[in-house]
Amino acid sequence: MSHPLASDKGDLTDLANDIKKVFEAHGFEDPALAVAFTLPENRQKAHWVTNVRREDGIRLMTMTAQQMQSKIN
């Protein structure tokens, strides 16, 4: 399931694999991940890491944003 992620922060495949291992250590088998983050030098710029195809990562982040939004409405 692992797909390399080339971004402005470089290939984050190792980070995606590390995050996947944490989930698996907590009993979640073969998780699909899409993690968004910012860095101190620019909190207005989002970065991401995923272990799925870009389209699937977008779908995961869209579903998450919709679910988060519905919790505040």
Side-chain angles (χ1 to χ4, degrees):
M1 180 183 290
S2 185
H3 299 274
L5 173 70
S7 73
D8 61 338
K9 294 299 175 188
D11 183 354
L12 300 178
T13 300
D14 289 342
L15 178 58
N17 290 336
D18 288 345
I19 295 168
K20 180 180 175 188
K21 288 176 190 173
V22 170
F23 275 80
E24 289 172 341
H26 289 277
F28 299 100
E29 285 190 38
D30 198 26
L33 305 170
V35 178
F37 60 96
T38 64
L39 297 170
E41 63 266 15
N42 185 355
R43 293 290 186 202
Q44 302 305 309
K45 182 172 182 166
H47 304 279
W48 64 93
V49 62
T50 183
N51 68 342
V52 294
R53 294 178 312 123
R54 182 179 298 260
E55 295 81 8
D56 294 330
I58 292 167
R59 192 173 300 112
L60 278 170
M61 289 194 184
T62 300
M63 287 186 303
T64 300
Q66 290 169 344
Q67 291 170 5
M68 290 174 72
Q69 186 68 41
S70 73
K71 297 289 183 194
I72 63 172
N73 289 335

